[in-house]
Amino acid sequence: MSQPIVVTVAKDLEDLVPTFMKNRGKELETLRTALAAGDFDQMRQLGHRMKGVGNSYGFEKVSLLGKQVEDGAKAGDKDALGACLAEYADYLARVQIVYE
Amino acid sequence: MSSLAAGRTANAAQAAFRVLVVDDDPDMAGFLARLLVKQGMQADIVSDGFAALKQIAASPPDMVLLDVQMPGPDGFEICRRLKGSDTTALVPVVLVTALEDHDSRVRGIEAGADDFLSKPVRREELVARVQTLRRLHETRKELEGRRLEAEVREKEAIRKTFSRYLSPRLAERVLSSPHGEDLFRDLSDRTAVVALFADLRGFTRLSETVPVSSIVPMLNEFFTVLTGAAHENEGTVFSMAGDSMLIGFNVPVAQADAAARALNTGRSLIQRFAPVAARWRKEHGLSTGVGVGIEAGEAVAGNVGAPSFMSYTIIGDPVNVAARLMQRAAPNEILIGPGAARALGTALGGAGNLERRKVELKGKAEPVEVVLLKVVAA
């Protein structure tokens, strides 16, 4: 089994994080559908959103992946986008949250 | 603590600082709102441009945190509209943009944004920027409040000054017109006026006969009647001295029918005083009445006196002539000088009880032709 990825989140955001994580799962599915359809504009917008919101909560990796999705969508690079989404899925599966 | 700071503290105690968060990403909006609430502020969230404009119009917030890309009008458009409206121009707007998005920042500055917040948002940066803008906004509001208070105080002082001279209705009209109070600030120009002097006939005997303690209330009653007649015709009461009063027309506000107003005032004050005279006759056995002189011409209007005691008045030949005509008028008579008679023109023809005569007036080389009007005091 893969190693968990521990992310520390501010205690005062604890009640917001379950919804945040649920929305990331939905986001991944929407990105997959958009990639299959070649909808790069939607992928660019979603990547832009991930970039802004991820590290605001403390999920730096979400912001980094968001930037890659945004750049890949702008370039229309399906292979790079596919790799990004796989990495995003792996991250969401492994992330463990600690509140401080 | 400065008085401004004290004012801010008091205000803060009264109502929370209200921030509107506009973002179509519910996670980002929830995050921003959470941090604001932790700072003791009230945060409301809307998720598109139309909802933002509607909410702001219904209840302008104290600050807006604005995402750029969202459904409906985008952040730049909303910012432009807020800054272009008198009611919201002073509400601070913070655009929430990606740090590397320089183009958005330039467009935001052009749209009038007060500050920017970088995404991803660092809470220290959010708190610092929002608190700084809050202080600036509250200081600005406090200063604006003080400026308005001072303006109200100044207007009230001018209103009091006005009401010494003008009818309440005219004073209100002058003050409600743009720069109306300026009429009283700079009045040293020669201007066409109609001057009316009125005095109490029989006052000398009255003051010899009636107990001193009764004289002042009686004079007050007399002047109240005269002032009522003056205000009814929107005349300006310039002075009350002894038992006489000077009323002006066409000053400080232009009155095309100034001479007719003066004549009506003369008639009205004689008629209004008649019942008072009848009562005084009954109570004290004395005959009294009002003598009136009216003349029109050019005079100087202005504040005259020493710095510690100024009085708004009119000075000039028509004022002098009106005073001398008043001295010549018997009780219930109006003596109209040649200038006022010309101004009245045909209006005088219908007045009835008219008599034209030449009178000699002190300071005039030639006899002056005047019109005598006897008023029947019912």
Side-chain angles (χ1 to χ4, degrees):
Chain A
M1 186 179 166
S2 308
Q3 289 290 312
I5 300 168
V6 178
V7 172
T8 303
V9 173
K11 184 84 177 157
D12 57 9
L13 300 179
E14 187 170 357
D15 62 317
L16 299 178
V17 169
T19 305
F20 174 87
M21 293 308 294
K22 204 168 141 189
N23 286 338
R24 301 290 72 78
K26 283 185 195 167
E27 188 171 67
L28 177 61
E29 287 313 307
T30 309
L31 282 165
R32 280 173 170 156
T33 306
L35 181 61
D39 188 347
F40 295 116
D41 191 51
Q42 189 184 16
M43 294 193 80
R44 182 188 56 74
Q45 287 181 35
L46 289 171
H48 184 79
R49 178 181 286 195
M50 285 168 64
K51 188 176 72 176
V53 77
N55 204 24
S56 297
Y57 276 77
F59 297 87
E60 189 180 0
K61 186 70 177 175
V62 173
S63 286
L64 291 173
L65 287 169
K67 173 141 178 46
Q68 288 174 28
V69 169
E70 188 181 18
D71 291 345
K74 279 180 188 166
D77 188 342
K78 276 196 165 190
D79 292 341
L81 287 168
C84 264
L85 296 195
E87 195 177 347
Y88 194 15
D90 177 63
Y91 175 78
L92 292 180
R94 290 164 59 195
V95 73
Q96 275 192 3
I97 300 159
V98 176
Y99 295 102
E100 276 185 3
Chain B
M1 185 186 278
S2 72
S3 59
L4 269 182
R8 283 198 297 274
T9 306
N11 287 342
Q14 283 164 14
F17 189 77
R18 291 173 48 240
V19 183
L20 181 65
V21 177
V22 188
D23 201 310
D24 64 332
D25 179 353
D27 292 317
M28 180 56 82
F31 168 75
L32 293 171
R34 173 60 51 88
L35 298 194
L36 294 168
V37 169
K38 278 202 76 176
Q39 295 301 309
M41 301 175 190
Q42 179 187 321
D44 299 312
I45 296 173
V46 290
S47 60
D48 67 72
F50 290 118
L53 290 171
K54 195 173 166 190
Q55 169 95 355
I56 291 165
S59 174
D62 297 311
M63 185 185 295
V64 181
L65 287 192
L66 198 53
D67 187 23
V68 173
Q69 293 173 14
M70 67 185 122
D74 64 17
F76 304 124
E77 177 60 23
I78 293 171
C79 188
R80 253 192 302 278
R81 290 200 202 178
L82 296 184
K83 295 302 177 184
S85 158
D86 286 350
T87 52
T88 53
L90 291 178
V91 175
V93 175
V94 180
L95 276 180
V96 186
T97 65
L99 184 61
E100 73 281 7
D101 191 353
H102 299 295
D103 181 50
S104 285
R105 296 205 167 204
V106 171
R107 289 183 65 193
I109 291 167
E110 286 169 351
D114 296 272
D115 205 350
F116 298 89
L117 194 59
S118 301
K119 282 184 183 178
V121 174
R122 290 177 57 222
R123 67 169 62 205
E124 301 81 8
E125 184 185 355
L126 171 97
V127 170
R129 290 189 186 280
V130 167
Q131 291 291 18
T132 300
L133 280 176
R134 177 185 184 167
R135 275 195 301 276
L136 282 172
H137 180 61
E138 289 182 343
T139 302
R140 194 156 53 187
K141 269 170 70 175
E142 181 83 11
L143 291 171
E144 179 65 7
R146 287 186 184 191
R147 190 188 65 75
L148 286 174
E149 275 175 26
E151 200 175 293
V152 167
R153 273 199 305 273
E154 188 192 1
K155 244 189 165 161
E156 193 48 42
I158 294 167
R159 187 188 303 276
K160 276 184 185 166
T161 308
F162 265 60
S163 60
R164 282 174 59 194
Y165 304 110
L166 305 184
S167 72
R169 191 174 44 169
L170 186 58
E172 194 54 49
R173 210 166 69 208
V174 169
L175 276 176
S176 60
S177 67
H179 312 296
E181 64 269 29
D182 292 346
L183 283 171
F184 262 89
R185 286 195 178 125
D186 184 18
L187 287 165
S188 299
D189 290 335
R190 184 164 282 275
T191 183
V193 304
V194 180
L196 180 154
F197 260 106
D199 85 341
L200 179 59
R201 289 292 131 86
F203 178 65
T204 308
R205 280 213 58 206
L206 188 85
S207 58
E208 288 167 357
T209 314
V210 173
V212 175
S213 59
S214 299
I215 291 290
V216 171
M218 289 172 81
L219 275 177
N220 285 345
E221 190 172 7
F222 170 72
F223 282 126
T224 301
V225 166
L226 266 56
T227 303
H231 285 175
E232 183 182 69
N233 292 284
E234 300 197 334
T236 302
V237 177
F238 284 101
S239 66
M240 296 175 197
D243 61 345
S244 69
M245 176 184 263
L246 169 61
I247 304 165
F249 297 86
N250 203 45
V251 60
V253 179
Q255 292 165 322
D257 55 348
R261 285 174 185 269
L263 184 60
N264 287 341
T265 304
R267 274 206 202 94
S268 174
L269 58 86
I270 289 172
Q271 286 166 345
R272 281 171 176 237
F273 182 67
V276 178
R279 178 159 45 79
W280 287 1
R281 181 194 292 273
K282 201 171 161 189
E283 290 172 0
H284 305 289
L286 291 168
S287 177
T288 54
V290 187
V292 177
I294 299 174
E295 178 58 320
E298 290 229 309
V300 173
N303 288 306
V304 176
S308 58
F309 185 84
M310 300 286 279
S311 182
Y312 175 54
T313 192
I314 45 176
I315 301 163
D317 190 57
V319 182
N320 299 338
V321 172
R324 281 162 194 157
L325 291 173
M326 172 200 75
Q327 288 162 358
R328 301 287 295 263
N332 303 342
E333 279 185 359
I334 302 174
L335 274 178
I336 302 164
R342 268 196 306 278
L344 284 164
T346 52
L348 200 53
N353 300 320
L354 285 179
E355 184 187 324
R356 291 181 189 275
R357 60 166 73 154
K358 289 200 169 184
V359 295
E360 289 189 357
L361 295 179
K362 190 179 165 192
K364 296 284 175 189
E366 298 292 323
V368 176
E369 185 172 299
V370 300
V371 177
L372 167 65
L373 174 65
K374 289 187 176 171
V375 179
V376 179

